[in-house]
Structures are given as structure tokens and as C-alpha cells.
Amino acid sequence: MSKNVHVARSKNGDQWSVKSEKSKKAFKNFDTQKQAISAARKIAIKNQSELLIHGENGKIREKNSYGNDKFPPKG
């Protein structure tokens, strides 16, 4: 998988997909968003990349960086 990992509704809308940013095909589909997020988080940590979680409406609702963050939080 390439850098950013996305969790979003599958094309048919009945499952949640985990896919890389530039991929047309999902890495894997899951019945629940929670399952998809768990799998995607492991992939993002392994690849030191960013995880983007999309809501039901398709908009990004959460981002988590597990790699070289350009603007890491202080503290």
C-alpha cells in the first residue's frame, strides 16, 4: 500500500473499505467501520503513514498520523 490509508464506505455502500490513497481497489472490506479502522490503523502504523477516516457522508471526519508528521504537536 502507498502512504495514506483511507477507511470509507465501499462502492455498493453495505461495507467499509480499507484502501490506499492511489488504489482503485480496496485492500479489504469489513462489515463495520470499527473493524475497518482497526485493520487500517495497523497498516498505517506498519507503513508509518497517515490514516484518514471518512464518515457516512464521505467527508473526512478524523486524521491520525503514524509517520513523519510535518507538524508534530508540542508536549
Side-chain angles (χ1 to χ4, degrees):
M1 296 189 90
S2 71
K3 277 294 187 187
N4 294 337
V5 181
H6 292 258
V7 173
R9 274 286 187 194
S10 61
K11 287 185 181 183
N12 60 10
D14 64 345
Q15 290 185 313
W16 290 91
S17 297
V18 174
K19 61 189 266 186
S20 67
E21 187 158 319
K22 306 222 180 204
S23 177
K24 292 181 182 180
K25 187 177 176 185
F27 173 71
K28 191 166 183 182
N29 291 316
F30 297 89
D31 291 329
T32 67
Q33 187 183 40
K34 186 175 182 178
Q35 292 170 327
I37 291 170
S38 178
R41 182 171 285 123
K42 290 175 186 174
I43 294 167
I45 289 169
K46 181 180 176 186
N47 293 330
Q48 295 184 346
S49 60
E50 191 165 349
L51 171 61
L52 294 98
I53 302 168
H54 298 257
E56 290 278 348
N57 61 4
K59 293 184 180 183
I60 296 171
R61 68 174 180 91
E62 186 178 336
K63 287 183 183 182
N64 294 301
S65 181
Y66 298 101
N68 297 322
D69 193 353
K70 295 177 186 174
F71 301 101
K74 294 180 181 180

